[in-house]
Amino acid sequence: MSIQWNGVMPAVFTWLKESKSGALEIDLDATQKQAVGILKTQGKGGSRMSGLVGSGTLGENSYLSTKQRLSLLRSLSEVAKEYNVPLISGAAAESKEELAKIVEGLATVGVDTVMVMPPKTKAVPSEKEMYEYYALAEATAKDVGLTIMPYNNPDAAGYHALSTDLLLRLSVLPKVTALKISTIDVSIIETLMLENKDLKILAGVDTVTVYAGLAGASGGVTGVGTIFPKASVTMQEYVLNGEWAEANKISQALNSLSYLDAQPLLMEYLKLAMGIHHNDVAGGLRTFGKKLTQQQIDDVRARYILAKERLEVLDLIG
């Protein structure tokens, strides 16, 4: 599949259900249904989401077993094929060898591109170690017919952002087709684009969609767009057309909810908002992650209601 990396891609939630024993397990049918609803939604300009991200941060990647992760992605690959979009999966590991095995496994379940998180190590890796980690992932991807997307996420990694020098070195590897930058500091995107105007860069934080587009990003991976896909796709249409004022109206309307995308409990917060949106609060609270307090639940609800009211004025609920 030829991937253009222009547009916005939803990072879908992994919906859960209670088994007979009371334990939580993946609800594949509900997760598929959620993904279909998002991918079939059109923006005001007629475009749709340009990819599908499964088993990422919002998909509870760090809590899933290998078996659960592969089962989830195999299920989502059916949806991605139906809508003719690439399936992207997150991947994180402590060592380059472990990462290579993960990439090999993802190739067996219909994944097209792997978003590769920085190494999960206690000690901060050296620039050399970091390059070798990504280089082996790229070489493995080449062997199994995938591509990779280095994922610059300092908050999730727990240490400093990948340097622009390292990102530029990685970007020229044959099977690196895009970079994902998950930070509110969009100057990183601008610096990278000044060095190589042909780079494909995806923004990973919903609050900076418009600013990232101004800096040169060709698209983004969205969490809020899973809840309000029409708004997210339309905002990206305006960004790609350079209609900044119109794009900013949508960004401001979404702001109360987008704010949560940059918080440590983003997965728990946004999953609850998704549950509220679909009148399934209980489902939105089912997670392998942290249990939210009543104060946090009330805050998410208030933020969701405010965003919805603002989007209704713009005719962007759908």
Side-chain angles (χ1 to χ4, degrees):
M1 177 180 291
S2 176
I3 307 173
Q4 301 303 313
W5 301 115
N6 296 318
V8 65
M9 305 181 181
V12 295
F13 303 100
T14 300
W15 225 244
L16 305 176
K17 61 183 178 181
E18 293 183 22
S19 65
K20 291 181 179 178
S21 66
L24 291 178
E25 61 184 28
I26 297 176
D27 188 333
L28 296 176
D29 289 340
T31 303
Q32 279 190 325
K33 183 179 178 181
Q34 169 208 162
V36 167
I38 296 165
L39 291 181
K40 74 179 182 181
T41 301
Q42 291 184 324
K44 284 191 173 182
S47 68
R48 291 188 169 95
M49 296 284 184
S50 57
L52 180 64
V53 180
S55 187
T57 302
L58 293 182
E60 317 217 13
N61 183 293
S62 60
Y63 298 102
L64 301 179
S65 67
T66 299
K67 182 178 179 180
Q68 287 175 317
R69 190 176 299 114
L70 295 181
S71 175
L72 169 66
L73 290 164
R74 186 178 291 109
S75 175
L76 287 174
S77 72
E78 297 174 8
V79 179
K81 286 182 174 65
E82 180 183 352
Y83 285 86
N84 194 33
V85 297
L87 177 63
I88 299 102
S89 170
E94 291 187 16
S95 69
K96 60 185 180 183
E97 291 81 11
E98 180 188 355
L99 177 61
K101 290 181 180 179
I102 292 173
V103 173
E104 290 174 348
L106 294 176
T108 67
V109 291
V111 169
D112 297 291
T113 298
V114 185
M115 292 189 309
V116 181
M117 290 281 289
K120 296 192 301 181
T121 54
K122 292 181 180 179
V124 179
S126 67
E127 198 88 342
K128 179 176 181 292
E129 291 170 328
M130 195 82 83
Y131 180 82
E132 291 174 348
Y133 173 86
Y134 281 100
L136 182 58
E138 188 271 344
T140 306
K142 183 178 180 180
D143 289 342
V144 296
L146 302 185
T147 60
I148 72 165
M149 182 193 306
Y151 184 2
N152 188 11
N153 191 331
D155 289 338
Y159 47 81
H160 62 73
L162 305 184
S163 71
T164 52
D165 285 344
L166 177 60
L167 288 168
L168 287 168
R169 288 179 66 198
L170 295 175
S171 70
V172 298
L173 295 173
K175 290 301 176 178
V176 172
T177 56
L179 302 174
K180 182 183 176 187
I181 307 296
S182 286
T183 170
I184 60 174
D185 181 6
V186 298
S187 67
I188 295 172
I189 299 174
E190 189 171 56
T191 300
L192 290 167
M193 293 302 297
L194 285 170
E195 291 293 328
N196 182 354
K197 63 180 177 60
D198 295 322
L199 280 178
K200 292 294 185 178
I201 298 178
L202 301 183
V205 183
D206 280 307
T207 54
V208 301
T209 298
V210 178
Y211 310 106
L214 278 165
S218 59
V221 175
T222 179
V224 172
T226 62
I227 305 164
F228 295 116
K230 183 177 179 181
S232 183
V233 172
T234 302
M235 178 166 59
Q236 192 63 44
E237 288 174 344
Y238 287 138
V239 167
L240 292 176
N241 290 331
E243 298 177 62
W244 306 111
E246 294 302 314
N248 201 45
K249 286 179 186 178
I250 302 174
S251 180
Q252 290 176 340
L254 285 167
N255 183 266
S256 62
L257 207 56
S258 298
Y259 167 84
L260 300 176
D261 191 46
Q263 304 306 307
L265 297 182
L266 72 160
M267 184 265 287
E268 290 88 344
Y269 289 153
L270 293 179
K271 190 173 191 181
L272 171 59
M274 183 72 161
I276 294 170
H277 186 63
H278 288 282
N279 298 312
D280 183 17
V281 174
L285 288 169
R286 291 191 191 109
T287 172
F288 292 127
K290 306 288 185 182
K291 184 176 181 180
L292 297 180
T293 66
Q294 189 60 50
Q295 183 178 354
Q296 290 170 324
I297 292 170
D298 292 343
D299 181 56
V300 170
R301 185 185 297 277
R303 289 177 176 278
Y304 164 81
I305 291 172
L306 181 56
K308 183 180 179 184
E309 289 174 347
R310 289 171 170 171
L311 292 174
E312 284 174 340
V313 173
L314 299 174
D315 188 28
L316 286 172
I317 300 296

